[in-house]
Structure formats: structure tokens, C-alpha cells
């Protein structure tokens, strides 16, 4: 009988809780540690998974010889140091989005995991781009990558979600030095989606943001991005986290190619929706569990990661460019971002089209 994958979860926030519940539902996983700076929170979360132990010794948890894989679910500034520490200790790593706050940090994370072996191939690194595992998005990407619409040329994504501000996030989310700003923190979802569906990362972006219901907030709750890829494909990306009622959501995706069109809308999904009954869209159902189960397949060597680090790099560079566009009010070429490398962008294109 194959032994379960022993996992250490680093982080004690609400999303760490969701990760733990998803991991607990995967039979092949044994959560060994829940590690964080707050012992009370770590203790409460570890109680969700039989056998998991709480600790504030994060370094000890990620280097535990009995641990095979580490799931990093901290605030973004903690992603790079704990990913690198785990990789250097020979662990496979899953890290939440956004992977890092700079391309330099991401490059160190990749070097500390994928590039840590003697032969240049070390352990695996997978970034938690959950949107890719939402059933509707998975189907869209499969059809696009199979050539059903020819070459993708135009993408329009409208994505409205969230709840009334300004009490929606904790303080670190509102500080661009800690979160990267909204285009990086939450925008990574929609920019990664564009990268995946178009088969290439943006090379040029123009962003505009606005505070829908909280004009005194230090960052916008909503933004629009116009993006262009190297081969001239265009994307219009609308992201809003300011709907008035918690749980509300509307998403539309239209992908136009040289030989056809693909589209999806949550408005067309079955089910009763009212103020009293707000089920999650069917197209999102079970995405986190699917993502983490796929990660375990990657750890076991049964699958290659759907999320390639070259694609992550291209999307992160575009997100950083979108944040700069918000700050400066001008169009920003991704080559302006520190550490940008056009050859790595080409690698992202090859990965996305595979």
C-alpha cells in the first residue's frame, strides 16, 4: 500500500482553513503540521484535520524529514521565504497566488524548488491558480487549446464579486507594499486566465481603477485592464470586488478565434438564486479540491502541473505592469518591469499553447 503524502500547511488565515478542509477530503493526504505565527489559530485549524499538529515553529515544520510536501497559504510576503526554505529541504511546494511580489522573488522560488537538484531538476513547484480548475474554465481552455476556434484573437472577461467595503479585507490587503495592489493580489486570477486562454502573456497593458463604494480606501476595489499579447491578440478584463451583498457573483467570458467563438456566463447556470438562497455557481464548484488533488498527482509523478511556472511568470509581470499603469495613469509595456525577460515570455507562450 502506498503511504499517504505527508503535508505541512503554512498559514492560519481563512484561506488556509479552506485548504485544510480540501486536503482532508483527499484520501491520499496526511496533514502533519499546521504552522503559523499564531498558536491559537494554528490549534483551531489543526482540529479540522485528524492527526494534524499545530506549531509556531514554521521552519521546523517545512524541514521535517517526515514531510514530503508543503502548502504555503500565508499572506503574500511569506510566499517566497517559505517556498524557498521548503524547496531547499527537498519538499514539493504548492503556493497560493499571487506567487510573489516581484519577478526576482519568483525566480528564487523556482530556483529553490524546480532548479534545486544536482542535475538541475529538483522538486516541483505549483502555484494555486484556482480559476484554472473551475469546471467551466477548464472546458473553455481545453476547447481553445484543441484548436476548436482556431487562433484566439479577442478575449473579454467580466467578473463581478465580493461584498460591501471597506471591511472586506484585513489591513495587509490594503497596503500595496504587502499585497502588490489589487491587480496583483486579485488581478492575478483574471490575468492568468487571459494568459491561459490566449496562449500567451500580455506584453502591454493599460489599467484604470475606481473605488466603487469606499472612496477613502487606499486601493481601488475595481479595475479594468486592456491587454495586448506579442502577436496582437487583445483582452479586455473587468474585475470588481465590490458587489453590495456577500456571495453575489457575475462572470462572463467570451473568447473569439479565427474560426469560432467560445463563451460562458454564470447567468446561464441552473438553480434558484435569491437574497435568501445564494448557492455558488456550478462552474466554480469543487475547484480548490480539484486543484489540490491535481497537486498531489504532480507530487506523486502521475501528472505534469497544469499551472506552469513560465506562465505564472508572464502573468505576474503583466499584473505588476497593470499596477504600475494604475499608479502612473499611462500604458505600460511589460518589459519595463524589473527582471522581465522576453525569452521567458516566449516559454510562457509555448507552455500555454501546449
Amino acid at each position: 500500500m502506498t503511504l499517504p503524502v505527508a503535508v505541512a500547511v503554512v498559514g492560519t488565515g481563512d484561506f488556509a482553513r479552506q485548504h485544510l478542509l480540501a486536503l482532508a477530503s483527499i484520501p491520499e493526504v496526511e496533514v502533519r503540521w499546521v504552522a503559523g505565527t499564531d498558536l491559537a489559530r494554528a490549534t483551531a485549524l489543526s482540529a479540522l484535520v485528524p492527526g494534524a499538529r499545530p506549531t509556531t515553529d514554521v521552519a521546523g515544520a517545512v524541514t521535517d524529514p517526515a514531510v514530503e510536501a508543503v502548502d504555503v497559504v500565508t499572506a503574500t510576503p511569506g510566499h517566497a521565504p517559505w517556498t524557498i526554505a521548503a524547496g531547499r529541504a527537498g519538499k514539493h511546494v504548492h503556493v497560493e497566488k499571487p506567487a510573489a511580489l516581484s519577478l526576482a522573488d519568483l525566480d528564487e522560488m523556482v530556483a529553490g524548488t524546480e532548479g534545486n537538484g544536482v542535475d538541475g531538476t529538483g522538486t516541483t513547484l505549483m502555484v494555486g491558480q484556482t480559476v484554472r480548475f473551475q469546471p467551466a474554465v477548464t472546458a473553455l481552455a481545453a476547447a481553445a487549446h484543441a484548436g476548436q476556434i482556431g487562433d484566439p484573437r479577442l478575449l473579454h472577461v467580466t467578473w463581478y464579486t465580493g461584498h460591501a467595503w471597506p471591511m472586506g479585507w484585513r489591513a495587509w490587503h490594503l497596503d500595496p507594499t504587502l499585497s502588490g495592489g489589487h491587480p496583483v493580489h486579485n488581478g492575478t486570477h483574471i490575468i492568468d486566465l487571459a494568459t491561459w486562454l490566449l496562449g500567451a502573456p500580455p506584453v502591454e497593458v493599460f489599467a484604470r481603477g475606481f473605488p466603487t463604494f469606499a472612496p477613502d480606501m487606499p486601493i481601488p476595489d475595481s479595475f479594468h485592464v486592456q491587454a495586448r499579447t506579442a502577436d496582437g491578440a487583445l483582452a479586455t478584463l473587468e474585475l470588481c470586488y465590490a458587489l453590495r451583498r456577500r456571495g453575489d457573483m457575475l462572470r462572463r467570458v467570451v473568447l473569439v478565434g479565427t474560426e469560432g467563438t467560445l463563451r460562458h456566463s454564470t447567468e446561464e447556470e441552473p438553480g434558484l438564486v435569491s437574497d435568501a438562497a445564494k448557492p455558488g455557481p456550478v462552474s466554480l464548484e469543487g475547484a480548490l479540491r480539484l486543484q489540490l488533488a491535481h497537486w498531489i498527482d504532480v507530487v506523486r509523478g502521475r501528472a505534469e502541473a497544469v499551472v506552469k511556472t513560465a506562465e505564472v511568470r508572464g502573468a505576474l509581470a503583466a499584473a505588476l505592469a497593470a499596477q504600475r499603469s494604475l499608479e502612473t495613469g499611462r500604458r505600460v509595456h511589460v518589459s519595463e518591469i524589473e527582471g522581465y525577460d522576453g525569452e521567458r515570455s516566449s516559454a510562457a507562450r509555448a507552455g500555454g499553447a501546449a
Side-chain angles (χ1 to χ4, degrees):
M1 180 179 295
T2 303
L3 293 175
V5 176
V7 174
V9 174
V10 180
T12 57
D14 181 63
F15 207 44
R17 181 180 187 276
Q18 295 180 47
H19 273 238
L20 284 163
L21 292 172
L23 288 168
S25 72
I26 302 171
E28 201 174 351
V29 170
E30 174 198 353
V31 177
R32 187 175 181 87
W33 296 106
V34 177
T37 57
D38 186 323
L39 183 59
R41 292 182 66 88
T43 300
L45 291 181
S46 66
L48 298 172
V49 185
R53 290 173 287 178
T55 183
T56 56
D57 181 8
V58 183
V62 302
T63 59
D64 179 355
V67 167
E68 185 175 355
V70 175
D71 186 15
V72 180
V73 203
T74 64
T76 310
H79 289 180
W82 293 123
T83 294
I84 293 166
R88 288 176 176 170
K91 317 302 182 186
H92 299 276
V93 181
H94 177 281
V95 60
E96 257 309 316
K97 66 82 211 165
L101 293 174
S102 70
L103 296 180
D105 280 352
L106 178 60
D107 290 345
E108 286 192 46
M109 294 162 69
V110 173
T113 51
E114 295 177 352
N116 197 37
V118 175
D119 60 353
T121 57
T123 55
T124 59
L125 173 63
M126 180 173 144
V127 178
Q129 296 292 163
T130 310
V131 173
R132 295 194 184 203
F133 296 89
Q134 294 170 357
V137 172
T138 301
L140 277 169
H145 297 164
Q148 291 187 17
I149 59 170
D151 293 329
R153 305 307 299 156
L154 296 170
L155 173 67
H156 190 168
V157 181
T158 299
W159 193 329
Y160 285 66
T161 186
H163 46 83
W165 292 68
M167 300 306 294
W169 288 350
R170 289 179 287 172
W172 76 268
H173 297 108
L174 305 179
D175 183 349
T177 63
L178 299 177
S179 69
H182 200 184
V184 177
H185 178 62
N186 281 320
T188 298
H189 283 307
I190 201 168
I191 295 172
D192 176 75
L193 175 58
T195 298
W196 203 35
L197 293 181
L198 291 174
V203 296
E204 186 178 71
V205 301
F206 179 70
R208 278 288 183 263
F210 50 97
T212 313
F213 299 120
D216 296 329
M217 282 189 56
I219 63 172
D221 52 41
S222 307
F223 65 87
H224 292 179
V225 172
Q226 297 286 332
R228 179 181 63 82
T229 67
D231 63 358
L234 299 177
T236 298
L237 310 174
E238 305 174 64
L239 187 66
C240 170
Y241 267 66
L243 296 188
R244 298 306 298 264
R245 293 185 177 90
R246 184 181 293 273
D248 280 356
M249 180 177 180
L250 167 65
R251 183 176 68 190
R252 302 188 190 101
V253 181
V254 179
L255 181 63
V256 181
T258 54
E259 298 177 20
T261 301
L262 295 167
R263 67 182 181 88
H264 166 72
S265 174
T266 55
E267 295 173 298
E268 300 170 357
E269 296 183 359
L272 174 66
V273 177
S274 69
D275 289 346
K278 290 185 176 297
V282 175
S283 57
L284 276 65
E285 186 174 357
L288 182 59
R289 186 189 185 281
L290 291 170
Q291 170 185 314
L292 292 171
H294 173 68
W295 174 50
I296 296 303
D297 284 340
V298 172
V299 170
R300 284 293 193 223
R302 296 190 294 254
E304 291 188 8
V306 167
V307 184
K308 307 287 194 266
T309 52
E311 297 168 356
V312 169
R313 194 179 198 277
L316 177 59
L320 292 167
Q323 174 63 19
R324 183 169 297 181
S325 181
L326 277 185
E327 294 171 350
T328 63
R330 64 177 178 83
R331 179 181 59 182
V332 175
H333 198 283
V334 178
S335 62
E336 299 177 35
I337 301 304
E338 294 78 4
Y340 177 78
D341 185 329
E343 291 185 4
R344 297 193 189 190
S345 178
S346 298
R349 178 176 176 80

